[in-house]
Amino acid sequence: FAKGDPYNLSATARHYVAGLLEHVTEFTLVTNQWINSYKRMVPGYEAPAYISWGRRNRSSLIRIPMYRVGKENATRVELRSPDPGCNPYLSFACMLASGLDGMDQKIPLRDPVEDNIFHMDDKTRKRFKIKELPNSLENAIENKESHPEIAVALATLVAHQQTQRSAQIVRRGERAVRRGEQRERSGGDGGEPGRNSLPRVQRGFDPQRQGVV
C-alpha cells in the first residue's frame, strides 16, 4: 500500500504486477491446464481474454479492488485467469516466481486500462499495447515451450510432465472428436447420425479424468 499512488500500490507492488503481466502467457499452461479451461476465456464474458490491469475493469486480467476506508493495508492484487481445476501449489509457485522476477528486474508497470477491452477494435488494443492470453491448450503449450524461463519456478521434471500430459489431453480430445465424426457419417438411414453417436462422444472423453497434475 502506498498512499500517494493513484491505485495505492507501492513501488514493490507495481513491479510485482508488472512481473505477472510479463510472464502470464508462460505460466498459463499451469493455471489453465484443461481443454475446457479455455472455453471460458473468450472475449465478451466474465473471464479475461486480454493482458491488462485496472481497478473496476472486469475485462482486465488483473484487478486492484478498491479498499475500504480504514483497511488500506488490505489492498490486494487479483489475477483472474486461473482455472478452478488447476494445481494450486504449482500455480502459486509460478505466480510468485513471476512477481518476484518483476521485483528483481524492476520491470516498469504499464498504464492501466479502465475501458471495456471487449468493445475495442484491433487498432485500439494495439495502441494500448494489449496482447491476448493463449486461447487454447495448444497455444498455451507453445507459449510455455518458447519461454522456458518460468521453469525456474518448478522442478524440471514436473514442468516437463505438465507439458507432456497436457499434450496428451489435446491428442486424446482430437481422437475423440474424430471418432464421433466417423460415427455420425456412418450413422442411421439417409445419412442421419446414429442414435447413440452423439451421447457416446459426450461420454467417451472426459478431460477431468485424464490425470493431469
Side-chain angles (χ1 to χ4, degrees), residues 4-5 29 33 36 50-51 79 82 150 169 176 191 202:
D5 185 84
L29 175 62
Q33 63 185 32
N36 285 342
Y50 299 100
I51 302 173
L79 181 68
I150 199 63
I169 289 177
Q202 293 174 335

Side-chain angles (χ1 to χ4, degrees), residues 124-140:
T124 304
R125 287 196 297 270
K126 186 175 181 179
R127 177 161 56 88
F128 282 103
K129 300 180 180 179
I130 299 173
K131 298 180 180 180
E132 293 186 36
L133 285 168
N135 58 6
S136 69
L137 188 59
E138 298 96 320
N139 289 343

Side-chain angles (χ1 to χ4, degrees), residues 113-127:
V113 178
E114 296 297 354
D115 296 329
N116 192 328
I117 303 173
F118 299 145
H119 295 165
M120 295 180 181
D121 56 24
D122 292 340
K123 185 177 180 180
T124 304
R125 287 196 297 270
K126 186 175 181 179
R127 177 161 56 88

Side-chain angles (χ1 to χ4, degrees), residues 18 20-26 28 41-43 47-53 57 59-62 79 81 107 110-113 116-118 120-135 139 143 146-147:
L20 291 177
L21 295 172
E22 179 73 18
H23 295 295
V24 64
T25 58
E26 303 164 32
T28 294
M41 297 170 65
V42 294
Y50 299 100
I51 302 173
S52 66
W53 75 282
N57 191 351
S59 62
S60 283
L61 169 69
I62 293 178
L79 181 68
S81 60
I107 299 175
R110 67 189 70 173
D111 292 335
V113 178
N116 192 328
I117 303 173
F118 299 145
M120 295 180 181
D121 56 24
D122 292 340
K123 185 177 180 180
T124 304
R125 287 196 297 270
K126 186 175 181 179
R127 177 161 56 88
F128 282 103
K129 300 180 180 179
I130 299 173
K131 298 180 180 180
E132 293 186 36
L133 285 168
N135 58 6
N139 289 343
N143 273 279
S146 60
H147 297 86

Side-chain angles (χ1 to χ4, degrees), residues 26-87:
E26 303 164 32
F27 65 72
T28 294
L29 175 62
V30 178
T31 56
N32 303 77
Q33 63 185 32
W34 306 101
I35 288 178
N36 285 342
S37 299
Y38 299 87
K39 293 183 179 179
R40 58 184 274 272
M41 297 170 65
V42 294
Y45 293 88
E46 284 292 316
Y50 299 100
I51 302 173
S52 66
W53 75 282
R55 169 160 285 163
R56 300 182 181 276
N57 191 351
R58 291 192 175 275
S59 62
S60 283
L61 169 69
I62 293 178
R63 291 180 65 238
I64 312 297
M66 185 64 183
Y67 63 88
R68 295 182 180 181
V69 177
K71 300 288 186 179
E72 292 83 358
N73 289 333
T75 299
R76 68 186 188 275
V77 175
E78 216 176 70
L79 181 68
R80 304 179 56 247
S81 60
D83 186 86
C86 72
N87 183 311

